[in-house]
Amino acid sequence: MNLKQLEAFVCVADRKSFSRAAKELFLTQPTISAHIASLEKELDVRLFIRNTKEVNLSEDGKTLYKYARQMIDLEEQIEACFVGEKQQEGRKISIAASTIPAQYILPRILSKFNEKYPREQFKVVESDSAKVVELVAGGAADVGFTGTVLEKKFCKYIPFYKDELIIIMPNTEKYEKRVNEQNLNWITEEAFIMREEGSGTRKEAEKQLKKAGIDTEQLNIVASMGNQEAIKRSVISGMGITIISKLAAEEEIRTGKVLWCPMPDKSDGRDLNIVYNKNFHLSKSAERFIRVTKEMYGIDKK
């Protein structure tokens, strides 16, 4: 037996599922099954009792789990003691994130991860969604956070958060009547501030506008900006209106600096995704980082 087999065994036992264990360990389900089959053959025991919904440990499996869990924990302690020192000197987890995840979601994830693995270091690059995917696809970033799914070979996307887009407007009497309007045609009469090309927010806004019967060519676009804060300040100053992530505008809404209204179909919010290149070997640090993110947002626990 080897540690990879025991790691697969422990993960299946914890997740009560071969498929969820495969996702957790970034392996295929047949590989997980092969690891378990090898253990069962070598020890001449049945480790799991399978039913239609989940798998549970047999009595022999419970006995093995006690020892295997200790071995996996010890492996992590050894790695943290020796490999961790080297990572502090050189290797960092390279993360590329688009604007919304970088500014409003990633800080919380980094804080949680740092609590659990205080010796790890990060290198974070903020860019638009298209560039994030390019960095991950090319191996320049271990992990990406993006609101856009691009067909890049070997890129694996894991949706983890539903991002609602809203319209924000200057807090003036003129716009108070717009807050409860269901028909969006009125926005074609207003000065409109758009996100830059390549932005995931822009792509999703265009998609939702099209669904509402509005083509971007109908909009009176007075500016395209890449900086989220600059866009919000421009709206507050009365320059125009914009479509923005509700996450990004929470503070301005709470303090009454802007008025807002939902897009017609709120359920059509975009997915924010973790993305990694499944053709590249992920470091243990990157694997842990993805695992912590998934745990925080309840991914693969159902």
Side-chain angles (χ1 to χ4, degrees):
M1 74 182 72
N2 58 52
L3 280 172
K4 288 297 182 184
Q5 292 171 340
L6 292 176
E7 186 179 41
F9 165 72
V10 168
C11 196
V12 172
D14 289 343
R15 291 293 188 177
K16 298 183 183 297
S17 165
F18 280 69
S19 61
R20 288 198 288 269
K23 290 180 181 178
E24 180 82 10
L25 297 174
F26 308 98
L27 298 172
T28 64
Q29 190 168 330
T31 300
I32 295 290
S33 298
H35 283 326
I36 302 304
S38 295
L39 276 175
E40 290 181 326
K41 183 177 180 180
E42 184 173 349
L43 299 174
D44 194 24
V45 294
R46 185 182 181 188
L47 297 174
F48 292 103
I49 300 169
R50 299 163 174 81
N51 59 42
T52 54
K53 292 186 177 179
E54 60 183 28
V55 295
N56 293 290
L57 288 168
S58 65
E59 288 304 313
D60 287 321
K62 291 176 183 177
T63 300
L64 177 62
Y65 183 85
K66 294 176 186 177
Y67 295 109
R69 178 78 268 178
Q70 293 176 43
M71 292 179 72
I72 298 304
D73 289 344
L74 185 58
E75 180 197 18
E76 291 187 353
Q77 290 174 34
I78 292 171
E79 186 180 66
C81 179
F82 293 96
V83 181
E85 292 290 343
K86 294 177 183 178
Q87 287 181 338
Q88 275 197 317
E89 297 172 4
R91 175 68 180 175
K92 297 178 176 67
I93 305 172
S94 179
I95 302 167
S98 59
T99 305
I100 298 302
Q103 296 182 5
Y104 306 102
I105 289 180
L106 190 55
R108 181 167 170 260
I109 297 173
L110 293 178
S111 177
K112 183 71 174 178
F113 186 80
N114 184 251
E115 285 179 16
K116 200 166 184 179
Y117 303 102
R119 305 178 85 172
E120 301 283 7
Q121 293 185 8
F122 312 96
K123 176 185 177 183
V124 179
V125 175
E126 182 180 336
S127 189
D128 61 57
S129 288
K131 183 64 175 178
V132 167
V133 177
E134 286 182 16
L135 291 171
V136 172
D142 300 313
V143 184
F145 288 84
T146 174
T148 299
V149 173
L150 298 178
E151 295 303 321
K152 291 285 185 179
K153 199 173 184 181
F154 305 124
C155 280
K156 170 73 174 178
Y157 294 86
I158 306 170
F160 73 98
Y161 186 88
K162 185 68 77 173
D163 184 31
E164 180 187 349
L165 297 188
I166 61 173
I167 301 168
I168 61 170
M169 307 156 269
N171 189 354
T172 63
E173 185 177 347
K174 171 186 174 182
Y175 290 102
E176 286 179 356
K177 63 181 180 181
R178 302 296 193 187
V179 171
N180 296 315
E181 285 196 26
Q182 297 299 311
N183 191 315
L184 282 190
N185 287 335
W186 63 270
I187 70 172
T188 61
E189 303 168 6
E190 304 294 334
F192 197 92
I193 304 167
M194 185 68 85
R195 280 293 302 274
E196 82 285 10
E197 291 283 352
S199 158
T201 299
R202 176 169 179 152
K203 290 180 185 299
E204 182 61 28
E206 290 173 346
K207 186 173 81 174
Q208 291 195 32
L209 285 171
K210 187 175 181 179
K211 190 170 182 180
I214 299 173
D215 192 284
T216 52
E217 292 183 0
Q218 297 175 260
L219 299 176
N220 176 26
I221 299 175
V222 295
S224 294
M225 300 183 184
N227 187 288
Q228 198 85 1
E229 295 302 312
I231 291 175
K232 289 187 290 184
R233 291 193 201 104
S234 297
V235 171
I236 293 168
S237 68
M239 181 177 175
I241 67 173
T242 194
I243 295 175
I244 196 171
S245 164
K246 193 173 182 180
L247 267 176
E250 281 180 345
E251 177 65 18
E252 288 75 17
I253 292 170
R254 185 183 64 80
T255 56
K257 292 179 180 177
V258 298
L259 298 174
W260 73 282
C261 66
M263 296 295 284
D265 188 354
K266 290 190 291 185
S267 65
D268 243 2
R270 63 170 177 165
D271 285 322
L272 296 183
N273 307 279
I274 311 166
V275 57
Y276 65 93
N277 191 323
K278 59 186 179 182
N279 202 40
F280 293 154
H281 175 71
L282 283 172
S283 67
K284 280 286 186 182
S285 297
E287 286 184 4
R288 291 191 192 110
F289 182 79
I290 294 173
R291 189 174 300 129
V292 167
T293 303
K294 292 164 73 175
E295 287 172 356
M296 285 181 65
Y297 291 93
I299 307 300
D300 293 339
K301 285 192 176 181
K302 297 180 182 179

